Amino acid sequence: MTQIVEKVLFSEKVAKFIVDAPRIARSRKPGHFVILRVDEKGERIPLTIADADREKGTITLVVQKMGVSSAKLFELNVGDEILDLVGPLGKATHIHKVGTVLACGGGVGVAPMLPIVQAFKQAGNRVISILAARNKDLIILEDEIRKWSDEVIVMTDDGSYGTKGLVTAGAEMVIQRETVNECIAIGPAVMMKFTSLLTKKYQIPTQSSLNAIMVDGTGMCGACRVTVGGRTMFTCIDGPEFDAHQIDFDELIMRLGGYSDEEKLASERYF
Amino acid sequence: MTTNKEYLLIEREKEWRVELRKKIANKERTTKTRTQMPELDPFVRIRYQDREVNTGLTEKQAVAEASRCLDCPNPTCIDGCPVSINIPKFIKYIEQGSFLEAAKTLKETSALPAVCGRVCPQEKQCEATCFYTLKLKKDPVAIGHLERFAADYERESGSMSVPEVASPNGIKVAAIGSGPASLSFAGDMIKLGYDVTVFEALHEIGGVLKYGIPEFRLPNKIVDVELANLEQMGVKFVRNFIVGKTASFDDLKEEGFQAFFVASGAGLPRFMNIPGENYNGIMSSNEYLTRVNLMNAASDEFDTPIIKGQNVAVIGGGNTAMDSVRTAKRLGAERAMIIYRRSRDEMPARVEEVHHAEEEGIEFLNLANPVEYFADSKGKVNRMRVQRMELGEPDASGRRRPVVIEGSEYDIPVDLVVVAVGVSPNPLIPSEVKDLKVTKWGTIVVNEETMQSSIPELFAGGDIVRGGATVILAMGDGRKAALAMHQYL
Ligand SMILES: Cc1cc2nc3c(=O)[nH]c(=O)nc-3n(C[C@H](O)[C@H](O)[C@H](O)COP(=O)(O)OP(=O)(O)OC[C@H]3O[C@@H](n4cnc5c(N)ncnc54)[C@H](O)[C@@H]3O)c2cc1C
Ligand SMILES: Cc1cc2nc3c(=O)[nH]c(=O)nc-3n(C[C@H](O)[C@H](O)[C@H](O)COP(=O)(O)OP(=O)(O)OC[C@H]3O[C@@H](n4cnc5c(N)ncnc54)[C@H](O)[C@@H]3O)c2cc1C
Ligand code: SF4
Ligand code: SF4
Ligand code: FES
C-alpha cells in the first residue's frame, strides 16, 4: 500500500500527487517510471516519476484524467492509499553535457520532461523549454520547469496564454535563432511525431519518451512494443526513451488505439 | 532425498507393503484397466474460464488405480521423475486407504504435489518409465492423477501437515521471483531455520502458476493454499519489488541478506518478426494470459480490457498455445485455431491438454506457418496469410524439420492472434548484475550440482537457467539450491 501525502490540482483534468515510496525515491533516476494499480479491480498503469525527495522518501506523479484508470487515481485524496505501486521502471535518460538543449513538452508530457530538464541543467547545459498545450488551463508545472531552464516559451493552440501556435512553431523559432545541440520531445504521440520531423530536417539529435500501452512493465508481455529503426523494441525495458528520428510514430499512434472499443465500453460503465 | 536405492528397498520391505503386495496377485493387477479421470462435459466447461476440467478421482477410483501398481522391486518410474518422488510408497499408501500418509510421502520430496499432479508432463516423465509402459506395453499407472488425489485429499481434509521448522538461525536469504523454483527453495530454507524473503515484481505471488496457467487447469486457490502454508512457516513475501530496480543486490546485502536465489523465469516473449505482426489484435500469449489470469480482464467488473475474438488464431504447439486457444474458446470465440508448423506428433504440449482441446472443438491447423498479417483501416488485424509445410529430415532436437511448400499460401480471416512461439530468459537480473556469467541465450550459468552462479553468494534455478522448462524441474532446482546454499553458508 502506498499512501498519498499531497495532492495539487493543476486543472480539472491534471493533478500532482506526492506519494510515500522511500525505496523508489532512493533508486529512481530521470526517465524512470512506475506502474500502479489503484485497487483490486484496477488496471496497471504507467506514470513517470516527475520528481523525488530522498529525505522525505516520496515521489511525485502527475496524472491526466483520460479513461477509467487515470480517473480512479485522480479522484483519490491525501491519506488515501494506492494498492500497488512498483518501480522504478525503464532505462534512465542518458544525461550528458552537449551545449544547448531544447526541451519540448506537450500537455501532460511536461511531467516526464521535468526531471530530464532538471538533470540536463545540472549537467551544465543551456536549457530552453517549450511548454505547449491546447489552452492555458492545461499548461502544467510551469514554475518547476522555469527553475531549471534558461528560457521558457509557452505555446497554446488557442492563444489563451503565451504565444498562439503549435509546439513546432516555437521549436522552429528557437532552432533558427541559435544552435541547438540536442532536443527532447515528450507529449502526445502526434506532437512528438511532428516535433521529430522538424528536428530531423535540422539534423538535431532528438529523444522522445513513449507512452505505449503497458501491462506488466517488466518486459514480460510485449504490449508496449514499438518499432525503432526497423526493429521491434519493448518500451518498458528498452525505453521509454528512444531516438525520435528512428521511431515509427504512425505505428505507435495506431497501437495506442488498440483497446479503444473496450475502453469506451469501460468508460460508459464507469462514468 | 530418496534416490538412494537402499532406502527404497528398506521402505519396500516394510511389513505393510509386503502384506499389500500379497493381497492381490500381480497377474490380476495387470489385467485391470487404467481408471479414467472424470472430467467436466466439454460443452459445459467451455463456458467457464474458472472451472477445472479434470474433476479428480474419487476415493474408490484412486484405490482401484493404486492397486494396478505392482510395487516393483526396481521402480523405474522413479527414474522418470525429476525430483525422484518415492512413487510406489505413496501409491501403496493410497491402495491401503492411508491417504494422508500418501500426501506426506509426496511432501518428502515435492513442495507442490497438488500442482505437479496437475501440470507435470507425466507421459514424458514418471509414466513413461513405468513398468507398464516399458515392459507390458499397456497404459501406465496414472501416477499424476494419484498424486493429485493425495494432495487434494489432504488439503480438503483440513489436516494439512505443516512441516517442522528448525529454530531460527537469524541468517537472512532472499529468493527473487515467486514461481515454483522460488517457492520450493523458500520451503526448504525455512525448514532449515533461515530467515527467507521472497521478492516478486508483480502484485501477485506464484509466477507462471498465477499469471500463465489458467484456472481451468490449475485453480488459483490451490496455489494459494500452498502460499498460505509457506507464510505460516515464516516465509516473507514482498510484492511489487523488482530486485535490481527497486533495490540493488548491494542494497539488499547492506540490509543483511547473505545469499540470493535468482528464479526470475523466462518471461520475455518471442515474436516471429513477420510483416504486420505489430497490428492491434496480435499479442503474445504472455499478454493474453496475463490480462485474463492476473488482471481478470474477462470480467466486466475489472478495468483491464481484453479483445474477445470471434476468429482466433494461436500460433504454436506448446502448453502456452493450448492454454491460450482454450481460453479464447471460453471467452466466446466461434473459431479457435491452433496454427503449428509441425505435425501433431511433434507438439510439445502435454498430451492431455491437446486431447482436452480437441474435445472442446479447437481446430488444429498443423503443418502451417503464418507469413504475414493484414489489417483494416484502423490497424486492427483482420486476415492472416499462412504457408503450408511438410516434414523433412530430423533436426538437432530429433524432431522432423518443417519445410515450406512453395506456392501453398492461403488466407484465413482472424480478429485475434496470439503468438505463443516461446520465451526467452528475463533479461532484468543479468543486465543489472555485472560479472554474472550468462550463456549466449541469456540464461544464467550455474554449476549443475549446486546451482551456484559465477558470483558465489548468488544461486539460480528454474527457467532463468533452463529457458522455458517445466514446473517440476524448476522446483527441483529450488531444492538443490537450498541444499547447496545451506552448505555454503
Ligand atoms: C512510460 C509511460 C509514462 C507515462 N507517464 C504519464 C504521466 O506521467 N502522466 C500521465 O497522465 N500519463 C502518463 N502516461 C500515460 C498513462 O499511463 C495513460 O494515460 C493511462 O494509462 C490511461 O489509462 P486510462 O484507463 O485512464 O485511459 P484509457 O481508458 O486506457 O484510455 C483513454 C484514452 O487514452 C488513450 N490512451 C490509452 N493509453 C494511453 C497512453 N499510454 N498514453 C496516451 N494515451 C493513451 C486511449 O487511446 C483512449 O483514447 C505514461 C505512459 C507511459 C507508457
Ligand atoms: C502458459 C504456460 C503454461 C505452462 N504449462 C506448463 C505445464 O502444464 N506443465 C509444466 O510443467 N510447465 C508448464 N509451464 C512452464 C512452467 O510454468 C515454468 O517452467 C515454471 O513456472 C518456471 O518457474 P520459475 O520459478 O523458474 O519462474 P516463473 O514461474 O516464471 O516465475 C518467475 C517470477 O519472477 C518474477 N521476477 C522476474 N524478475 C524479477 C525481479 N528482478 N525481481 C522480482 N521478481 C522478478 C516474475 O514476475 C515471475 O513472477 C507453462 C508455462 C506457461 C507460460
Ligand atoms: S512430480 Fe511429476 S514426474 Fe514426479 S511423480 Fe509427480 S507427476 Fe510424476
Ligand atoms: S514402475 Fe509403475 S508399476 Fe512399477 S512401481 Fe512404478 S508406478 Fe508402480
Ligand atoms: S509492458 Fe509488458 S513488456 Fe512492456
Side-chain angles (χ1 to χ4, degrees):
Chain A
M1 293 284 225
T2 301
Q3 210 174 32
I4 297 171
V5 294
E6 198 182 319
K7 177 181 181 182
V8 180
L9 278 182
F10 286 151
S11 74
E12 253 172 55
K13 288 198 154 190
V14 182
K16 173 170 104 171
F17 288 93
I18 298 184
V19 304
D20 201 25
R23 289 245 185 217
I24 301 175
R26 227 179 305 148
S27 47
R28 76 100 206 190
K29 292 199 178 72
H32 280 150
F33 64 97
V34 293
I35 285 207
L36 60 79
R37 192 171 75 123
V38 171
D39 58 30
E40 273 294 304
K41 309 251 155 95
E43 199 175 0
R44 294 170 64 95
I45 59 166
L47 294 172
T48 306
I49 305 170
D51 203 355
D53 187 328
R54 281 174 156 246
E55 264 79 71
K56 293 204 188 109
T58 59
I59 60 169
T60 302
L61 307 172
V62 175
V63 66
Q64 178 172 23
K65 220 157 117 175
M66 297 285 291
V68 176
S69 304
S70 47
K72 271 189 174 177
L73 173 63
F74 191 85
E75 277 151 30
L76 297 183
N77 289 303
V78 173
D80 289 345
E81 281 175 333
I82 296 166
L83 182 60
D84 297 300
L85 180 92
V86 63
L89 299 165
K91 285 210 165 84
T93 312
H94 179 56
I95 306 284
H96 50 160
K97 186 159 189 255
V98 287
T100 300
V101 175
L102 176 63
C104 306
V108 76
V110 174
M113 200 175 79
L114 173 65
I116 299 172
V117 163
Q118 178 180 353
F120 269 105
K121 182 69 199 163
Q122 284 169 335
N125 294 287
R126 171 175 156 78
V127 179
I128 304 168
S129 297
I130 303 181
L131 304 183
R134 262 176 286 132
N135 59 48
K136 182 168 196 258
D137 286 347
L138 297 173
I139 295 285
I140 57 166
L141 297 170
E142 188 183 338
D143 293 343
E144 287 84 348
I145 291 281
R146 276 195 193 281
K147 197 169 146 198
W148 302 104
S149 307
D150 295 274
E151 184 185 346
V152 174
I153 297 166
V154 177
M155 307 286 301
T156 51
D157 294 6
D158 64 356
S160 54
Y161 187 44
T163 310
K164 182 172 165 156
L166 298 175
V167 67
T168 39
E172 191 148 24
M173 190 268 288
V174 175
I175 295 169
Q176 284 176 350
R177 186 186 73 191
E178 62 182 287
T179 308
V180 172
N181 304 93
E182 188 160 329
C183 181
I184 297 145
I186 309 180
V190 188
M191 171 253 162
M192 292 192 281
K193 173 182 166 178
F194 286 102
T195 311
S196 161
L197 285 173
L198 175 80
T199 59
K200 197 170 183 175
K201 196 169 85 186
Y202 292 97
Q203 297 183 344
I204 302 167
T206 301
Q207 300 285 322
S208 275
S209 177
L210 304 186
N211 54 355
I213 291 177
M214 296 190 174
V215 182
D216 58 297
T218 65
M220 183 190 85
C221 75
C224 62
R225 60 197 194 277
V226 288
T227 302
V228 182
R231 285 182 52 214
T232 296
M233 305 273 217
F234 288 4
T235 306
C236 66
I237 48 170
D238 301 320
E241 277 157 41
F242 296 100
D243 175 354
H245 297 160
Q246 303 290 323
I247 297 167
D248 183 343
F249 281 107
D250 293 329
E251 183 188 86
L252 175 72
I253 293 166
M254 172 202 85
R255 287 188 59 80
L256 281 173
Y259 287 91
S260 51
D261 295 345
E262 289 78 11
E263 279 153 5
K264 222 176 284 152
L265 282 177
S267 287
E268 279 160 19
R269 276 196 297 270
Y270 181 75
F271 292 108
Chain B
M1 282 199 212
T2 47
T3 37
N4 187 323
K5 292 259 183 278
E6 234 170 278
Y7 160 82
L8 286 179
L9 224 58
I10 294 169
E11 286 285 326
R12 187 173 182 272
E13 287 317 315
K14 292 225 166 115
E15 222 182 294
W16 70 272
R17 295 259 295 261
V18 179
E19 287 300 309
L20 214 53
R21 280 201 294 277
K22 282 191 202 141
K23 259 173 75 182
I24 308 175
N26 276 353
K27 237 205 173 96
E28 192 185 328
R29 291 181 191 271
T30 56
T31 56
K32 299 184 180 191
T33 51
R34 177 168 157 134
T35 315
Q36 288 305 309
M37 168 63 88
E39 50 188 58
L40 274 186
D41 184 286
F43 290 100
V44 175
R45 72 192 191 222
I46 57 169
R47 300 209 302 269
Y48 303 94
Q49 174 68 17
D50 57 355
R51 290 214 191 159
E52 205 177 355
V53 170
N54 284 342
T55 52
L57 300 178
T58 62
E59 288 181 25
K60 227 170 128 193
Q61 286 171 323
V63 172
E65 181 61 22
S67 71
R68 289 181 69 220
C69 167
L70 305 171
D71 199 2
C72 303
N74 174 20
T76 43
C77 50
I78 298 180
D79 303 334
C81 173
V83 294
S84 310
I85 285 185
N86 190 342
I87 295 169
K89 179 174 166 193
F90 100 79
I91 292 184
K92 288 302 116 179
Y93 271 130
I94 293 179
E95 182 180 344
Q96 199 191 33
S98 313
F99 305 139
L100 291 174
E101 288 301 318
K104 229 192 225 160
T105 306
L106 290 167
K107 284 196 173 165
E108 286 170 13
T109 31
S110 166
L112 307 165
V115 175
C116 293
R118 285 173 167 80
V119 305
C120 253
Q122 290 102 9
E123 72 276 2
K124 292 189 194 123
Q125 299 181 353
C126 52
E127 294 181 14
T129 55
C130 171
F131 185 75
Y132 278 81
T133 317
L134 292 181
K135 295 281 157 44
L136 302 178
K137 310 289 173 212
K138 286 187 178 172
D139 286 339
V141 175
I143 302 171
H145 292 164
L146 290 172
E147 179 169 336
R148 168 189 161 151
F149 168 80
D152 284 359
Y153 182 89
E154 186 197 31
R155 189 182 60 254
E156 282 154 21
S157 72
S159 53
M160 261 176 102
S161 58
V162 177
E164 273 173 51
V165 176
S167 56
N169 62 16
I171 303 175
K172 277 167 85 171
V173 298
I176 295 150
S178 65
S182 275
L183 297 179
S184 75
F185 168 84
D188 278 11
M189 289 306 268
I190 203 88
K191 278 187 234 166
L192 292 167
Y194 290 88
D195 181 352
V196 188
T197 307
V198 176
F199 293 101
E200 169 56 51
L202 295 172
H203 58 260
E204 279 243 28
I205 301 296
V208 171
L209 306 182
K210 278 285 177 65
Y211 77 71
I213 304 178
E215 292 239 42
F216 57 78
R217 212 147 67 78
L218 177 65
N220 282 344
K221 65 170 202 282
I222 285 168
V223 184
D224 287 336
V225 170
E226 302 296 341
L227 297 176
N229 246 346
L230 287 171
E231 219 155 17
Q232 219 179 13
M233 286 159 71
V235 175
K236 294 174 207 148
F237 291 105
V238 181
R239 295 161 173 81
N240 298 311
F241 194 112
I242 305 180
V243 176
K245 291 268 183 194
T246 310
S248 65
F249 282 93
D250 288 337
D251 294 336
L252 293 176
K253 273 184 221 162
E254 246 169 62
E255 287 167 35
F257 288 97
Q258 295 192 15
F260 302 88
F261 177 60
V262 178
S264 49
L268 198 70
R270 282 195 212 124
F271 287 92
M272 294 172 68
N273 296 314
I274 56 176
E277 206 175 23
N278 287 351
Y279 283 133
N280 291 321
I282 304 177
M283 65 186 80
S284 73
S285 49
N286 272 1
E287 177 178 354
Y288 187 63
L289 293 172
T290 300
R291 283 180 184 271
V292 176
N293 298 331
L294 184 71
M295 306 308 297
N296 273 300
S299 155
D300 279 350
E301 287 168 52
F302 287 77
D303 299 338
T304 302
I306 185 82
I307 295 172
K308 293 185 182 171
Q310 285 302 306
N311 291 301
V312 183
V314 175
I315 321 300
N319 287 319
T320 318
M322 292 308 141
D323 286 346
S324 303
V325 78
R326 295 171 70 200
T327 296
K329 189 82 195 174
R330 283 161 172 76
L331 299 189
E334 245 158 60
R335 253 190 117 179
M337 301 165 264
I338 283 284
I339 298 187
Y340 180 54
R341 63 198 180 112
R342 302 181 198 242
S343 74
R344 160 121 188 217
D345 290 342
E346 282 86 17
M347 278 200 174
R350 296 180 71 225
V351 169
E352 188 178 37
E353 309 313 330
V354 178
H355 172 65
H356 282 160
E358 276 175 338
E359 287 179 346
E360 289 164 11
I362 304 300
E363 290 174 54
F364 287 80
L365 278 64
N366 289 335
L367 292 165
N369 205 31
V371 287
E372 186 169 1
Y373 298 101
F374 303 90
D376 64 17
S377 59
K378 285 156 96 185
K380 172 89 196 290
V381 68
N382 59 12
R383 191 160 52 95
M384 69 187 289
R385 182 157 297 164
V386 301
Q387 197 169 43
R388 300 220 51 99
M389 315 288 278
E390 60 191 351
L391 290 181
E393 294 301 308
D395 62 12
S397 71
R399 294 188 297 180
R400 292 178 64 192
R401 190 200 307 269
V403 191
V404 172
I405 304 179
E406 293 301 337
S408 64
E409 290 87 359
Y410 65 103
D411 290 0
I412 307 172
V414 286
D415 53 5
L416 174 64
V417 176
V418 178
V419 183
V421 295
V423 283
S424 304
N426 188 317
L428 243 155
I429 300 274
S431 71
E432 297 287 330
V433 186
K434 319 191 278 293
D435 306 335
L436 181 64
K437 252 206 213 134
V438 293
T439 64
K440 66 175 180 209
W441 298 279
T443 51
I444 298 177
V445 177
V446 295
N447 172 325
E448 270 176 45
E449 293 306 312
T450 62
M451 308 312 286
Q452 196 166 25
S453 75
S454 57
I455 297 171
E457 69 276 17
L458 206 148
F459 297 69
D463 284 1
I464 188 67
V465 165
R466 300 171 176 275
T470 60
V471 170
I472 188 73
L473 286 169
M475 282 179 30
D477 289 352
R479 305 209 69 197
K480 265 199 244 169
L483 195 70
M485 191 186 283
H486 179 51
Q487 277 156 5
Y488 167 79
L489 292 170

